Amino acid sequence: MGPGWRRAYKTKVVEPIRLLERAEREQRLLQAGYNVFRLDSEDIYIDLLTDSGTGAMSQAQWAALMDADEAYAGSRSFRAFHETVQSITGMPHVLPTHQGRAAEHIYFASTLDRGSVVPNNTHFDTTRANVLALGGRPVDLPVSEALDPDSAASFKGDMDVDGLERLIRTHGAARIPAIFLTVTNNTAAGQPVSMANARAVSEVARAHGIPLMLDAARYAENCFFVREREEGYGGLPVTEIARELFGLADGCLMSAKKDGLGNIGGFMALRDGALFQRCRDRLILVEGFSTYGGLAGRDLAALAVGLREALDASYLAERVGQVRWLGTRLKAEGIPVYWPPGGHAVYVDAARLLPHIPVGQLPGQALVCALYLEGGVRAVEVGSVMLGEAAQMELVRLAIPRRVYAQEHLAWVIDALSRVRERSDEVVGMRLAEGEGPLRHFVARFDPVI
Ligand code: F0G
């Protein structure tokens, strides 16, 4: 029986991978302080740490790379990138950045005051950290279904609109420099935001004179879910759905390492010319001139192609289908997974898989380590380690790089997780030994609780 999706490409270049012996994996993990961010990638068999910058580029992207213009100012590759972003978003002002968080930093440095409050359906970790670093207070407003890993609701990435109105009443619109919608909602298990919710949020924003910004890292996957699940959008070109979504917003920040199908890159797109000028001046200070923003001409050229490829419905059907297949198979094996699977990743509920490990002993981190030991698979904790006090669930994310892994790779992951589940009572908790602050998960060291 087929997997339920159709391949939209075949392989032209291969990258060898190898599986270390179990004893070697044990030693590497110990040396890494039980933090998989500290492992060497050669020591990993299947790398599901992130879908960010880890995708495979197409032949058209590689061809664009060779043809790129590396001029410091006014490069042809910048113009191709600029036109692509303008035509997708409909926004007149575009600033390239070397990745998403640089756009975040420049945007928040140009808009936040001490005491500013920034609502978001759910902040991604770097977004939260940037708001905090620049004196603001990040507030997450997910809908209640987002916290229910079993609810089959279609748009669990939505923002709580009543909560948003209450927040505006409490703090006053003047203290809220922007409202953010993260599409898809990465920290809420990669769940999509409906067009209806985006419209409702944009109406509230407009009524109070507050700009609405999209965190558009995975906007194409989000628009594909809208096409699949929301009434009135079935069969529409994804590009058209994207235009409608961006049309509701005043600007966007994007990590183009996701739905830009690039290995590096990001941007900010704005309607407000005065804000654009402020951000451009800061960009020149920290990233580079406004026609390259920390990127090589070839990166911009590859993104100009990748941004369009990511809107192709057959590519998106395969992408979302592959993630859904993994989630469905894991669930069938009795692994507790957040339901339904998101656009870019399957999230395993570590607290339920390892009920003998209390939250204080970091069940997500324990599961990440067990999965590496069992199958050389690297995943990432999205729970108390990454989110600290803000964590509402103890999840482990299996993020699928774009156009990289085949069904056999994912079957290996399913087998490895099933073996962890069979011997779950042998998995021990973890204790934070070193690391603090909102970005501690990148550098922390842990000790097993034995
Ligand atoms: N916003 C979202 C929703 C993200 O998922 C990320 C990155 C960023 C912003 C920051 O972009 O990495 O280009 O600076 N997410 C990656 C991940 C790192 O693994 O989910 P960046």
Side-chain angles (χ1 to χ4, degrees):
M1 205 176 68
W5 75 80
R6 249 176 280 155
R7 295 299 299 253
Y9 50 81
K10 59 183 176 173
T11 308
K12 182 176 295 198
V13 175
V14 296
E15 179 178 353
I17 50 175
R18 72 183 172 137
L19 179 66
L20 296 181
E21 295 299 324
R22 176 157 185 134
E24 292 173 307
R25 299 202 292 273
E26 280 171 7
Q27 189 211 5
R28 299 295 198 284
L29 195 60
L30 174 67
Q31 283 166 351
Y34 295 91
N35 183 348
V36 292
F37 279 101
R38 291 179 175 273
L39 288 172
D40 289 338
S41 75
E42 301 93 306
D43 297 341
I44 290 150
Y45 184 49
I46 294 178
D47 199 352
L48 307 185
L49 181 71
T50 179
D51 62 323
S52 181
T54 52
M57 290 206 296
S58 66
Q59 58 186 1
Q61 286 181 288
W62 283 105
L65 226 78
M66 279 309 291
D67 191 41
D69 175 0
E70 301 297 344
Y72 186 97
S75 124
R76 168 164 52 76
S77 302
F78 170 70
R79 286 203 306 281
F81 169 81
H82 193 254
E83 278 160 24
T84 301
V85 175
Q86 276 183 335
S87 84
I88 291 172
T89 63
M91 299 196 187
H93 305 295
V94 181
L95 290 174
T97 58
H98 81 277
Q99 61 181 86
R101 67 198 68 182
E104 289 166 3
H105 193 83
I106 291 167
Y107 179 81
F108 291 125
S110 307
T111 54
L112 290 197
D113 292 322
R114 199 148 283 282
S116 291
V117 175
V118 181
N120 196 320
N121 45 349
T122 315
H123 287 81
F124 179 64
D125 60 359
T126 60
T127 328
R128 176 188 315 281
N130 268 307
V131 171
L132 285 169
L134 292 157
R137 182 154 80 81
V139 177
D140 290 344
L141 295 171
V143 286
S144 56
E145 303 91 83
L147 299 177
D148 175 359
D150 298 320
S151 142
S154 295
F155 291 103
K156 295 167 79 170
D158 282 355
M159 177 178 267
D160 170 4
V161 181
D162 292 341
L164 175 65
E165 282 179 323
R166 274 198 303 278
L167 187 86
I168 298 171
R169 272 201 303 279
T170 308
H171 296 284
R175 282 183 65 191
I176 303 179
I179 297 166
F180 269 77
L181 261 185
T182 303
V183 293
T184 57
N185 192 344
N186 186 10
T187 310
Q191 299 295 304
V193 174
S194 66
M195 193 69 80
N197 185 253
R199 196 172 302 112
V201 170
S202 104
E203 278 161 15
V204 172
R206 198 148 302 154
H208 292 277
I210 305 170
L212 171 62
M213 293 290 291
L214 298 179
D215 178 338
R218 299 180 181 83
Y219 80 96
E221 290 162 10
N222 198 98
C223 291
F224 188 76
F225 280 119
V226 167
R227 184 182 194 258
E228 269 196 331
R229 296 181 183 172
E230 197 163 349
E231 218 183 304
Y233 292 92
L236 282 189
V238 187
T239 313
E240 215 170 286
I241 300 172
R243 264 314 263 274
E244 182 175 337
L245 182 63
F246 285 112
L248 297 170
D250 298 284
C252 68
L253 310 181
M254 176 157 182
S255 166
K257 299 169 74 173
K258 284 82 166 176
D259 282 352
L261 292 172
N263 297 124
I264 194 70
F267 64 84
M268 175 190 311
L270 297 169
R271 296 191 198 282
D272 178 341
L275 176 58
F276 164 72
Q277 283 182 17
R278 289 209 304 279
C279 290
R280 185 184 54 192
D281 292 350
R282 209 176 287 269
L283 181 89
I284 296 172
L285 195 65
V286 295
E287 285 277 280
F289 187 58
S290 53
T291 65
Y292 70 89
L295 293 168
R298 52 181 150 324
D299 301 324
L300 292 164
L303 289 177
V305 177
L307 282 161
R308 288 192 200 280
E309 287 181 353
L311 285 164
D312 179 78
S314 51
Y315 154 73
L316 283 166
E318 166 170 358
R319 163 101 183 122
V320 168
Q322 191 186 37
V323 174
R324 185 177 302 143
W325 179 82
L326 175 63
T328 307
R329 285 290 311 275
L330 285 173
K331 195 176 177 190
E333 291 292 322
I335 313 277
V337 292
Y338 185 101
W339 205 254
H344 67 298
V346 174
Y347 293 67
V348 179
D349 189 339
R352 265 204 274 177
L353 183 62
L354 305 172
H356 60 290
I357 301 182
V359 168
Q361 291 181 15
L362 312 173
Q365 193 61 28
L367 180 58
V368 166
C369 292
L371 185 58
Y372 175 70
L373 289 178
E374 191 59 50
V377 178
R378 176 158 71 169
V380 71
E381 196 260 13
V382 181
S384 293
V385 177
M386 180 186 278
L387 305 170
E389 307 269 289
Q392 312 249 24
M393 285 180 278
E394 301 299 322
L395 301 177
V396 167
R397 184 182 75 171
L398 308 169
I400 312 300
R402 291 167 182 77
R403 307 191 289 203
V404 170
Y405 290 122
Q407 202 179 347
E408 291 83 353
H409 296 106
L410 300 186
W412 175 272
V413 175
I414 295 163
D415 285 350
L417 256 172
S418 299
R419 289 197 301 274
V420 170
R421 189 183 82 94
E422 278 157 24
R423 296 208 307 266
S424 60
D425 51 344
E426 291 170 24
V427 178
V428 297
M430 290 282 158
R431 182 184 307 116
L432 186 69
E434 189 188 310
E436 57 187 54
L439 297 176
R440 63 182 182 176
H441 48 292
F442 290 119
V443 294
R445 286 182 182 275
F446 302 89
D447 288 326
V449 180
I450 24 181

